[in-house]
Amino acid sequence: MTAPEGRGIGAATAVDTFRILHVSTGNVCRSPITERLTRHALSARLGDPLTRGLIVESAGTWGHEGAPMEANAEVVLADFGADATGFVGRELLDEHVIRADLVLTATRDHRAQVISMGHSAGLRTFTLKEFTRLVRAIDPATLPDTRDEGVVERARALVRAAAALRGWLLAPSPDADEVYDPYGAPITFFRSIGDEINQALDPVVTALTGIPARR
């Protein structure tokens, strides 16, 4: 089954949006942290990301449907000034993958599960750290200027460029593209995972928006 008209990599869409989907296992720790840190970073650089057409969501391959975020994950988000309000866990469904323009997963196993669902997901699904590595290798000057073409067009071009590089820029080790699961761990491990996710997201958000973080 292929992605319906208007979704997927590089496809034209009647509604000018770009949807980012973060995926982990239970959708109560890693992907909620990544979702809300992405929203927080985009808001810091763009104002309201929705007004620019960017939508950020998350789901879990074994998602706890309707579950709240883990308490330690909320603490981590608060450390970064990000908002955990209103989060509800979701199980990953075909419709989530179909709608997504970019899928960022916590691990290679999650990436494989998303791709196995079909829907032409292979060229727009990466682990978070894999995407970060690829994005760092892309010359920002080759991407559309957001002032002329908008953030959505830049984001689509970034995904195409990253997909083209995937076979040429390999991970330095098997574990380099993994974000490990902190479920059930103490807050210190949650905070280390939060730092890891935040560091991986920074170059991604810079590449998406064309705006570096304020230091």
Side-chain angles (χ1 to χ4, degrees):
M1 180 177 179
T2 59
E5 184 66 26
R7 304 314 311 165
I9 184 168
T13 173
V15 179
D16 200 25
T17 61
F18 184 91
R19 192 178 295 263
I20 302 169
L21 175 66
H22 293 292
V23 175
S24 63
T25 303
N27 194 216
V28 291
C29 298
R30 288 168 291 181
S31 51
I33 290 172
T34 316
E35 173 198 316
R36 294 307 174 95
L37 286 182
T38 303
R39 290 188 189 182
H40 181 67
L42 288 172
S43 296
R45 302 184 207 197
L46 298 174
D48 181 1
L50 286 173
T51 65
R52 304 295 189 95
L54 299 180
I55 300 168
V56 185
E57 302 175 310
S58 65
T61 55
W62 290 89
H64 302 302
E65 189 73 27
M69 191 184 307
E70 280 289 295
N72 281 345
E74 292 191 17
V75 172
V76 167
L77 290 176
D79 288 345
F80 288 100
D83 187 9
T85 304
F87 180 84
V88 178
R90 301 192 306 177
E91 182 178 356
L92 181 67
L93 303 176
D94 290 78
E95 64 191 64
H96 302 144
V97 177
I98 289 169
R99 290 199 306 259
D101 295 284
L102 172 62
V103 184
L104 297 176
T105 70
T107 70
R108 292 169 295 167
D109 283 346
H110 297 134
R111 180 185 64 195
Q113 288 179 65
V114 172
I115 292 172
S116 74
M117 295 171 73
H119 314 301
S120 304
L123 291 177
R124 51 196 166 93
T125 302
F126 309 79
T127 75
L128 170 62
K129 288 187 174 181
E130 174 192 22
F131 195 66
T132 301
R133 184 176 68 254
L134 297 172
V135 160
R136 288 184 186 276
I138 296 168
D139 182 355
T142 64
L143 300 173
D145 191 320
T146 57
R147 293 169 296 183
D148 299 326
E149 300 186 54
V151 176
V152 167
E153 285 306 314
R154 183 183 177 94
R156 290 177 184 149
L158 183 68
V159 173
R160 291 194 297 269
L165 280 174
R166 179 155 30 199
W168 298 93
L169 194 62
L170 302 178
S173 70
D175 295 333
D177 288 340
E178 306 283 293
V179 175
Y180 291 107
D181 192 354
Y183 185 77
I187 186 61
T188 51
F189 188 64
F190 265 85
R191 283 187 163 127
S192 70
I193 292 297
D195 287 339
E196 197 174 317
I197 291 170
N198 190 60
Q199 289 175 26
L201 281 174
D202 181 66
V204 170
V205 175
T206 296
L208 283 169
T209 63
I211 303 170
R214 295 177 182 176
R215 302 299 181 188

